[in-house]
Amino acid sequence: MPMWKKEKAVPWERRLLVTETNRFVAIPVPEQDPNVRNKNFEEVCLGYSLEDAQKEASRCLSCKVPQCRKGCPVSVNIPEFIGHIKEGNIEEAARSLWAYSALPAVCGRVCPQENQCEKYCVLKNKGDSVSIGKLERFAADYARNHKVKANPPAPFNGHKVAIIGGGPAGLTCAGELAKKGFKVHVFEALQRLGGVLIYGIPSFRLPDEVVEEEVKKLEDLGVEFETNVIVGRTVTIDALKEEGFEAFFIGSGAGLPRFMNIPGENLNGVFSANEFLTRTNLMHANDDLFDTPLKLGQKVAVIGGGNVAMDAARVSKRLGSDVTVVYRRTEKELPARSEEVHHAKEEGIHFKFLTNPVEILGDEDGWTKGIRCIEMELGEPDASGRRRPVPIQGSEFDLAVDTVIMALGTSPNPLISMTTQGLETEDWGGIIVNETGQSTREDIFAGGDAVTGAATVILAMGAGKEAAKGIEDYLLKK
Ligand SMILES: Cc1cc2nc3c(=O)[nH]c(=O)nc-3n(C[C@H](O)[C@H](O)[C@H](O)COP(=O)(O)OP(=O)(O)OC[C@H]3O[C@@H](n4cnc5c(N)ncnc54)[C@H](O)[C@@H]3O)c2cc1C
């Protein structure tokens, strides 16, 4: 018998919900109107009501062998938390999430669920997967709004750990260790905590207060935070060791932007997406009350096709520009989350596929006035398995723009590895670690973008969690 016919095991009140709801069609989530939201920085997605969350949860089949869990890098017990939502016990749903993830309100908003948990949902064979991400977001938001407290940490076990970097990898590692009774101190280079969650991802996708509240939960667990400390410059790992820290986790991310190395990249009006997004998200260049300079043209080209490119494009649109995303492959190969591409299109962003810049063109005063592009076609697959874009000779054309934002990926900053004895890195800068997250120096662990290069929030969190286990084993077995 097909799984979706196993209704008998479902209590009658839940069966009622299921019969009102088409098992194979997801309950839609309300969103701001595209023509309104493309002029403001308020959150696009408005989230489920309790009633709709319960209806959506009631579509879950509570599979005995849940495939969805296989797709989650931190192994959230998805049927369990969704089961609590079905029953209307949202506090328990949040507690279930916290047992596996330090940042459920973040993951519910920015994880690429379509390639993870929701990809493996058995309902996908017949229709829409259960909206696991939106339900996660609902439970975490409910807990935040109702001030639900996490369980208290274990008593102090006598060990002190330093975490370098306050992004998702560092925060997760900090939370896991604090729960187990370690004294944890996070050192963050910037003035605010959250890493890319604060300075990269814009507030219309992930409001600052959501990240702040997740950090507050870690403070409640006893984690100490110190901002404006650049490890490798303000203080070194060896100096911290002398202060009594016995083990270290490096979650310093991959904040060094890549450029194309084409003529004209030094012209005024050319930004890295990192700089552009940091100026708006962290330094509030979009807000008249802040004195952050940002001269954005009327016509903006964003080069690249990942989440960073979508964010840069959507922020530029909100600042009043006409925006075109220029990408060298086709729409099918866009690496951004499908929801972000869909939202960008709805908001009026233009796309130019199979197109690559070869030169940025400037005026006599040194300001950008356009891009010379070349048309591309897809050739044989490259090392990544994707078909390689090949330029079509003689197809050059000019695109009139006055700002260019490069969103071509990032690599790890070498500052920490340059100042830390015994810490080895790959040629491209990634810190070398084993399967427990331990680096080539036994007291230093690492994870997240600093190890893998630019990846995803949940992979960074998975690595932070893995390394916390590694640190625990290292310190307790010493
Ligand atoms: C614009 C943008 C949009 C994205 N959108 C998504 C998305 O939708 N979904 C998704 O899953 N992923 C997305 N990502 C990727 C995701 O955000 C990253 O993979 C993730 O944040 C990596 O986490 P991390 O903790 O390793 O590093 P980071 O988030 O980069 O955090 C590293 C932290 O370390 C600090 N640091 C660096 N050097 C030092 C030092 N020497 N001393 C002290 N502190 C230091 C940094 O200031 C930073 O706060 C996006 C990335 C960007 C840039």
Side-chain angles (χ1 to χ4, degrees):
M1 182 167 60
M3 290 189 97
W4 61 89
K5 294 219 169 126
K6 285 186 186 165
E7 298 283 303
K8 275 197 192 126
V10 182
W12 68 268
E13 63 277 28
R14 263 165 46 200
R15 246 179 294 152
L16 258 186
L17 280 176
V18 176
T19 44
E20 279 171 22
T21 311
N22 181 339
R23 175 74 86 193
F24 304 111
V25 180
I27 302 289
V29 190
E31 290 177 346
Q32 272 198 74
D33 181 273
N35 284 319
V36 175
R37 70 178 194 238
N38 67 9
K39 297 172 198 68
N40 71 46
F41 281 78
E42 301 304 314
E43 199 171 1
V44 169
C45 172
L46 304 174
Y48 279 136
S49 63
L50 173 61
E51 188 187 348
D52 280 352
Q54 281 191 279
K55 280 189 189 161
E56 181 60 12
S58 73
R59 294 177 59 236
C60 175
L61 298 166
S62 310
C63 303
K64 279 221 167 61
V65 186
Q67 301 301 311
C68 51
R69 279 194 87 175
K70 290 189 194 161
C72 176
V74 294
S75 302
V76 164
N77 192 338
I78 295 166
E80 182 181 86
F81 97 79
I82 292 184
H84 288 309
I85 298 179
K86 278 186 203 174
E87 313 284 338
N89 198 347
I90 317 299
E91 290 196 12
E92 276 315 304
R95 288 212 170 82
S96 167
L97 284 163
W98 289 335
Y100 299 89
S101 163
L103 310 169
V106 171
C107 292
R109 286 173 165 83
V110 304
C111 264
Q113 289 100 4
E114 72 269 23
N115 296 322
Q116 296 177 341
C117 50
E118 292 179 17
K119 182 175 169 183
Y120 299 97
C121 173
V122 293
L123 287 185
K124 198 173 163 54
N125 302 327
K126 288 273 172 183
D128 295 336
S129 308
V130 174
S131 304
I132 301 168
K134 296 286 186 286
L135 289 172
E136 179 180 23
R137 172 200 152 123
F138 168 77
D141 285 0
Y142 178 97
R144 186 173 69 253
N145 295 332
H146 291 80
K147 312 252 175 280
V148 178
K149 291 263 179 238
N151 296 330
F156 179 45
N157 64 13
H159 294 285
K160 247 176 105 177
V161 180
I163 309 275
I164 296 142
L171 295 178
T172 303
C173 189
E176 290 296 315
L177 290 169
K179 275 192 238 172
K180 292 181 175 158
F182 289 85
K183 181 128 191 95
V184 184
H185 197 102
V186 178
F187 296 93
E188 165 55 49
L190 294 175
Q191 68 268 42
R192 292 183 65 195
L193 295 156
V196 167
L197 309 180
I198 285 287
Y199 74 77
I201 301 181
S203 55
F204 54 83
R205 280 216 290 138
L206 178 60
D208 288 3
E209 57 270 23
V210 170
V211 182
E212 283 159 3
E213 200 58 39
E214 303 276 28
V215 170
K216 172 86 186 35
K217 280 211 313 277
L218 298 177
E219 279 171 347
D220 291 345
L221 285 173
V223 178
E224 291 170 351
F225 292 98
E226 205 172 326
T227 51
N228 297 314
V229 180
I230 305 176
V231 175
R233 186 150 296 156
T234 324
V235 67
T236 61
I237 286 191
D238 289 325
L240 292 174
K241 182 125 193 159
E242 280 173 24
E243 283 179 28
F245 290 101
E246 298 158 85
F248 302 85
F249 173 77
I250 304 175
S252 50
L256 210 58
R258 285 200 202 116
F259 284 89
M260 295 188 77
N261 296 322
I262 55 173
E265 274 183 307
N266 288 329
L267 285 165
N268 293 317
V270 180
F271 293 92
S272 72
N274 252 41
E275 178 190 349
F276 172 69
L277 289 170
T278 305
R279 278 179 189 243
T280 43
N281 298 339
L282 187 73
M283 299 160 76
H284 305 282
N286 56 316
D287 191 334
D288 291 339
L289 293 174
F290 287 79
D291 197 18
T292 306
L294 181 67
K295 193 165 182 287
L296 200 65
Q298 286 183 333
K299 282 186 171 286
V300 173
V302 177
I303 319 299
N307 288 320
V308 183
M310 295 310 128
D311 284 341
R314 296 173 71 197
V315 167
S316 306
K317 182 77 189 177
R318 281 161 171 77
L319 295 176
S321 304
D322 181 63
V323 187
T324 305
V325 170
V326 175
Y327 181 57
R328 61 195 185 139
R329 290 187 166 95
T330 72
E331 178 166 5
K332 210 170 114 226
E333 286 86 21
L334 276 175
R337 292 177 71 213
S338 54
E339 185 175 71
E340 305 320 324
V341 177
H342 168 72
H343 281 156
K345 283 184 176 170
E346 277 189 336
E347 289 167 12
I349 311 284
H350 315 291
F351 285 81
K352 241 181 172 348
F353 295 112
L354 289 170
T355 302
N356 210 24
V358 287
E359 181 180 354
I360 316 282
L361 309 168
D363 64 16
E364 56 282 2
D365 297 322
W367 285 88
T368 300
K369 66 170 191 184
I371 326 177
R372 181 145 303 149
C373 297
I374 190 161
E375 288 177 18
M376 312 290 278
E377 59 188 351
L378 293 185
E380 293 302 310
D382 60 16
S384 72
R386 294 181 304 170
R387 290 177 64 193
R388 185 191 301 275
V390 183
I392 302 174
Q393 293 313 321
S395 66
E396 287 87 349
F397 67 96
D398 291 350
L399 198 63
V401 292
D402 33 24
T403 301
V404 178
I405 302 176
M406 295 290 184
L408 303 161
T410 49
S411 48
N413 190 315
L415 182 64
I416 299 177
S417 50
M418 277 165 44
T419 53
T420 310
Q421 290 241 335
L423 185 67
E424 287 176 26
T425 62
E426 306 280 0
D427 292 344
W428 52 269
I431 298 171
I432 296 173
V433 295
N434 66 18
E435 64 287 351
T436 67
Q438 192 170 34
S439 74
T440 47
R441 194 175 126 170
E442 65 165 9
D443 57 345
I444 302 181
F445 291 70
D449 285 5
V451 167
T452 56
T456 63
V457 171
I458 194 74
L459 286 174
M461 289 174 61
K465 199 169 169 176
E466 209 51 57
K469 177 83 186 55
I471 291 173
E472 183 187 1
D473 290 347
Y474 166 69
L475 287 180
L476 299 187
K477 282 182 194 154
K478 248 188 359 171

